[in-house]
Coordinates of all heavy atoms in Angstrom, one line a residue:
Q79 N -22.6 3.5 0.3 CA -23.3 4.2 1.4 C -23.5 3.3 2.6 O -23.4 2.1 2.4 CB -24.5 4.9 0.9 CG -24.3 6.0 -0.1 CD -23.5 7.1 0.3 OE1 -23.7 7.8 1.3 NE2 -22.4 7.4 -0.4
I80 N -23.8 3.9 3.7 CA -23.9 3.1 4.9 C -25.4 2.9 5.2 O -26.2 3.8 5.2 CB -23.3 3.8 6.1 CG1 -21.8 4.0 5.8 CG2 -23.4 3.0 7.4 CD1 -21.0 2.8 5.5
L92 N -31.0 4.0 5.0 CA -29.7 4.8 4.8 C -29.4 5.6 5.9 O -30.2 6.3 6.6 CB -30.0 5.7 3.6 CG -28.8 6.6 3.2 CD1 -27.7 5.8 2.6 CD2 -29.3 7.6 2.1
L93 N -28.1 5.5 6.3 CA -27.6 6.3 7.5 C -26.7 7.4 7.0 O -26.7 8.5 7.6 CB -26.8 5.4 8.4 CG -27.6 4.6 9.5 CD1 -26.6 3.8 10.3 CD2 -28.4 5.6 10.4
S94 N -25.8 7.2 6.0 CA -24.9 8.2 5.6 C -25.6 9.3 4.7 O -26.8 9.2 4.5 CB -23.8 7.5 4.8 OG -24.3 6.8 3.7
T95 N -24.8 10.3 4.3 CA -25.4 11.4 3.6 C -26.0 11.1 2.2 O -26.8 11.9 1.7 CB -24.3 12.6 3.5 OG1 -23.3 12.1 2.5 CG2 -23.7 12.9 4.8
G96 N -25.5 10.0 1.6 CA -26.0 9.7 0.3 C -25.0 10.2 -0.8 O -25.3 9.9 -2.0
R97 N -23.9 10.8 -0.4 CA -22.9 11.3 -1.4 C -21.5 11.0 -0.9 O -21.3 10.9 0.3 CB -23.1 12.8 -1.6 CG -24.4 13.2 -2.2 CD -24.4 14.6 -2.8 NE -23.6 14.6 -4.0 CZ -23.3 15.8 -4.6 NH1 -23.8 17.0 -4.2 NH2 -22.6 15.8 -5.8
G98 N -20.6 10.8 -1.8 CA -19.3 10.5 -1.5 C -19.0 9.1 -1.1 O -19.9 8.3 -0.8
R99 N -17.7 8.7 -1.1 CA -17.4 7.3 -0.7 C -17.6 7.2 0.8 O -17.3 8.1 1.6 CB -15.9 7.1 -1.0 CG -15.6 7.0 -2.5 CD -14.1 6.7 -2.7 NE -13.8 6.6 -4.1 CZ -13.3 7.6 -4.9 NH1 -13.1 8.7 -4.3 NH2 -13.0 7.4 -6.1
T100 N -18.0 6.0 1.2 CA -18.1 5.7 2.6 C -17.6 4.3 2.8 O -17.5 3.5 1.9 CB -19.6 5.8 3.1 OG1 -20.3 4.7 2.6 CG2 -20.2 7.1 2.9
T101 N -17.3 4.0 4.1 CA -16.8 2.6 4.4 C -16.8 2.4 5.9 O -16.9 3.3 6.7 CB -15.4 2.4 3.9 OG1 -15.1 1.0 3.9 CG2 -14.4 3.2 4.6
A103 N -18.5 0.9 8.7 CA -19.4 1.3 9.8 C -19.3 0.3 11.0 O -19.0 -0.9 10.8 CB -20.8 1.3 9.3
K110 N -25.9 3.3 20.8 CA -26.7 4.5 20.5 C -26.3 5.2 19.3 O -27.0 6.0 18.7 CB -26.5 5.4 21.7 CG -27.3 4.9 23.0 CD -27.0 5.9 24.1 CE -27.7 5.4 25.4 NZ -27.6 6.4 26.5
R111 N -25.0 5.0 18.9 CA -24.4 5.6 17.7 C -23.7 4.6 16.8 O -23.4 3.5 17.3 CB -23.5 6.8 18.1 CG -24.3 7.9 18.8 CD -23.4 9.1 19.3 NE -22.8 9.8 18.1 CZ -23.6 10.8 17.5 NH1 -24.8 11.1 17.8 NH2 -23.0 11.4 16.5
I112 N -23.4 5.1 15.6 CA -22.7 4.3 14.7 C -21.5 5.1 14.1 O -21.6 6.3 13.7 CB -23.6 3.8 13.5 CG1 -24.6 2.8 14.1 CG2 -22.8 3.2 12.4 CD1 -25.7 2.5 13.2
L113 N -20.3 4.5 14.1 CA -19.1 5.0 13.6 C -19.0 4.6 12.1 O -19.3 3.5 11.7 CB -17.9 4.5 14.3 CG -16.5 4.8 13.8 CD1 -16.2 6.3 14.2 CD2 -15.5 3.9 14.5
F114 N -18.5 5.6 11.2 CA -18.3 5.2 9.9 C -17.3 6.3 9.3 O -17.1 7.3 9.8 CB -19.6 5.0 9.0 CG -20.3 6.4 8.7 CD1 -20.2 7.0 7.5 CD2 -21.1 6.9 9.7 CE1 -20.9 8.2 7.3 CE2 -21.9 8.0 9.5 CZ -21.7 8.7 8.3
A115 N -16.8 6.0 8.1 CA -15.9 6.9 7.4 C -16.6 7.4 6.1 O -17.3 6.6 5.4 CB -14.6 6.3 7.0
S116 N -16.4 8.7 5.8 CA -17.1 9.3 4.7 C -16.3 10.4 4.1 O -15.5 11.1 4.8 CB -18.5 9.9 5.1 OG -19.1 10.6 4.1
A117 N -16.4 10.5 2.7 CA -15.8 11.6 2.0 C -16.7 12.5 1.3 O -16.5 13.1 0.3 CB -14.9 10.9 0.9
H118 N -17.9 12.7 2.0 CA -18.9 13.6 1.5 C -18.5 15.1 1.4 O -19.1 15.8 0.8 CB -20.2 13.4 2.2 CG -20.2 13.9 3.6 ND1 -19.7 13.1 4.6 CD2 -20.5 15.0 4.2 CE1 -19.8 13.7 5.8 NE2 -20.3 14.9 5.6
T119 N -17.4 15.4 2.2 CA -16.9 16.8 2.2 C -16.0 17.1 1.0 O -15.4 18.2 0.9 CB -16.2 17.1 3.5 OG1 -15.1 16.2 3.6 CG2 -17.2 17.0 4.7
D120 N -15.7 16.1 0.1 CA -14.9 16.3 -1.0 C -15.3 17.6 -1.8 O -16.4 17.7 -2.3 CB -15.0 15.1 -1.9 CG -14.2 15.2 -3.3 OD1 -13.6 16.2 -3.5 OD2 -14.3 14.2 -4.1
H149 N -10.2 12.7 1.3 CA -11.2 13.4 2.0 C -12.0 12.6 3.0 O -12.9 13.0 3.6 CB -12.2 14.1 0.9 CG -11.5 14.9 -0.1 ND1 -10.9 16.1 0.2 CD2 -11.3 14.7 -1.4 CE1 -10.4 16.6 -0.9 NE2 -10.6 15.7 -1.9
M150 N -11.6 11.3 3.1 CA -12.2 10.4 4.0 C -11.9 10.7 5.5 O -10.7 10.8 5.9 CB -11.8 9.0 3.7 CG -12.7 7.9 4.4 SD -14.2 7.6 3.5 CE -13.7 6.5 2.2
D151 N -13.0 10.9 6.3 CA -12.8 11.2 7.7 C -13.8 10.3 8.5 O -14.7 9.8 7.9 CB -13.0 12.7 8.0 CG -11.8 13.5 7.8 OD1 -10.7 13.3 8.4 OD2 -11.9 14.4 6.9
L152 N -13.6 10.2 9.8 CA -14.4 9.4 10.7 C -15.5 10.3 11.3 O -15.3 11.4 11.7 CB -13.6 8.8 11.7 CG -12.6 7.7 11.3 CD1 -11.7 7.3 12.4 CD2 -13.4 6.5 10.9
Y153 N -16.7 9.7 11.3 CA -17.9 10.4 11.9 C -18.7 9.4 12.7 O -18.6 8.2 12.6 CB -18.8 10.8 10.7 CG -18.3 11.9 9.8 CD1 -17.4 11.4 8.7 CD2 -18.6 13.2 9.9 CE1 -16.9 12.4 7.9 CE2 -18.0 14.1 9.0 CZ -17.2 13.7 8.0 OH -16.6 14.6 7.2
T154 N -19.5 9.9 13.6 CA -20.5 9.1 14.3 C -21.9 9.7 14.1 O -22.0 10.9 13.7 CB -20.3 9.0 15.8 OG1 -20.4 10.3 16.4 CG2 -18.9 8.3 16.1
I155 N -22.9 8.9 14.1 CA -24.2 9.3 13.9 C -25.2 8.5 14.8 O -24.9 7.4 15.1 CB -24.6 9.1 12.4 CG1 -25.9 9.8 12.0 CG2 -24.7 7.6 12.1 CD1 -26.2 9.8 10.5
N156 N -26.3 9.1 15.2 CA -27.2 8.4 16.0 C -27.9 7.3 15.3 O -27.9 7.3 14.0 CB -28.3 9.4 16.5 CG -27.9 10.4 17.5 OD1 -27.0 10.1 18.3 ND2 -28.5 11.6 17.4
F157 N -28.3 6.3 16.0 CA -29.0 5.1 15.4 C -30.2 5.5 14.5 O -30.4 4.8 13.6 CB -29.4 4.2 16.6 CG -29.9 2.9 16.1 CD1 -29.0 1.9 15.6 CD2 -31.2 2.5 16.1 CE1 -29.5 0.7 15.2 CE2 -31.7 1.3 15.8 CZ -30.9 0.4 15.3
D158 N -30.8 6.6 14.8 CA -31.9 7.0 14.0 C -31.5 7.9 12.8 O -32.4 8.4 12.1 CB -33.0 7.7 14.8 CG -32.4 9.0 15.4 OD1 -31.3 9.4 15.1 OD2 -33.2 9.7 16.2
G159 N -30.2 8.1 12.6 CA -29.7 8.8 11.5 C -29.6 10.3 11.7 O -29.3 11.1 10.8
T160 N -29.8 10.8 12.9 CA -29.6 12.2 13.3 C -28.3 12.5 14.0 O -27.6 11.5 14.4 CB -30.7 12.7 14.2 OG1 -30.7 12.0 15.4 CG2 -32.1 12.4 13.5
G161 N -27.9 13.7 14.1 CA -26.8 14.1 15.0 C -25.4 13.7 14.5 O -24.6 13.3 15.3
M162 N -25.1 13.8 13.2 CA -23.8 13.3 12.8 C -22.7 14.3 13.3 O -22.8 15.5 13.3 CB -23.7 13.3 11.2 CG -22.5 12.7 10.7 SD -22.5 12.2 9.0 CE -22.6 13.9 8.2
Q163 N -21.6 13.6 13.9 CA -20.5 14.4 14.4 C -19.2 13.9 13.8 O -19.0 12.7 13.6 CB -20.4 14.2 15.9 CG -21.6 14.7 16.7 CD -21.5 14.5 18.2 OE1 -20.6 13.9 18.7 NE2 -22.5 15.0 18.9
R164 N -18.3 14.9 13.5 CA -17.1 14.6 12.8 C -16.0 14.4 14.0 O -15.9 15.2 14.8 CB -16.6 15.7 11.9 CG -15.5 15.5 11.1 CD -15.3 16.6 10.1 NE -14.2 16.3 9.1 CZ -14.1 17.1 8.0 NH1 -14.8 18.1 7.8 NH2 -13.1 16.8 7.1
L165 N -15.2 13.2 13.8 CA -14.2 13.0 14.8 C -12.8 13.3 14.3 O -11.9 13.5 15.1 CB -14.3 11.5 15.2 CG -15.6 10.9 15.8 CD1 -15.4 9.5 16.2 CD2 -15.9 11.8 17.0
T166 N -12.5 13.2 13.0 CA -11.2 13.5 12.5 C -11.3 14.6 11.4 O -12.3 14.7 10.7 CB -10.5 12.3 11.8 OG1 -11.3 11.8 10.8 CG2 -10.4 11.2 12.9
Y177 N -14.4 0.1 17.7 CA -14.3 0.5 19.1 C -13.7 -0.7 20.0 O -13.8 -1.9 19.6 CB -15.7 0.7 19.7 CG -16.3 2.1 19.2 CD1 -17.1 2.1 18.1 CD2 -16.0 3.2 19.9 CE1 -17.7 3.3 17.7 CE2 -16.6 4.4 19.5 CZ -17.4 4.5 18.5 OH -18.0 5.7 18.1
D202 N -14.2 10.3 21.7 CA -14.7 11.7 21.3 C -13.8 12.3 20.2 O -14.0 13.4 19.8 CB -14.9 12.6 22.4 CG -13.5 12.9 23.2 OD1 -12.5 12.3 22.8 OD2 -13.6 13.6 24.2

Side-chain angles (χ1 to χ4, degrees):
Q79 294 298 304
I80 303 301
L92 180 67
L93 275 181
S94 54
T95 67
R97 298 195 72 183
R99 296 181 178 93
T100 68
T101 192
K110 293 181 179 180
R111 294 179 69 82
I112 292 170
L113 173 73
F114 69 100
S116 176
H118 66 276
T119 60
D120 178 359
H149 306 291
M150 192 80 79
D151 280 298
L152 290 168
Y153 297 81
T154 61
I155 194 168
N156 288 327
F157 187 73
D158 64 3
T160 64
M162 189 166 69
Q163 296 179 357
R164 189 172 188 168
L165 298 184
T166 63
Y177 286 94
D202 63 0

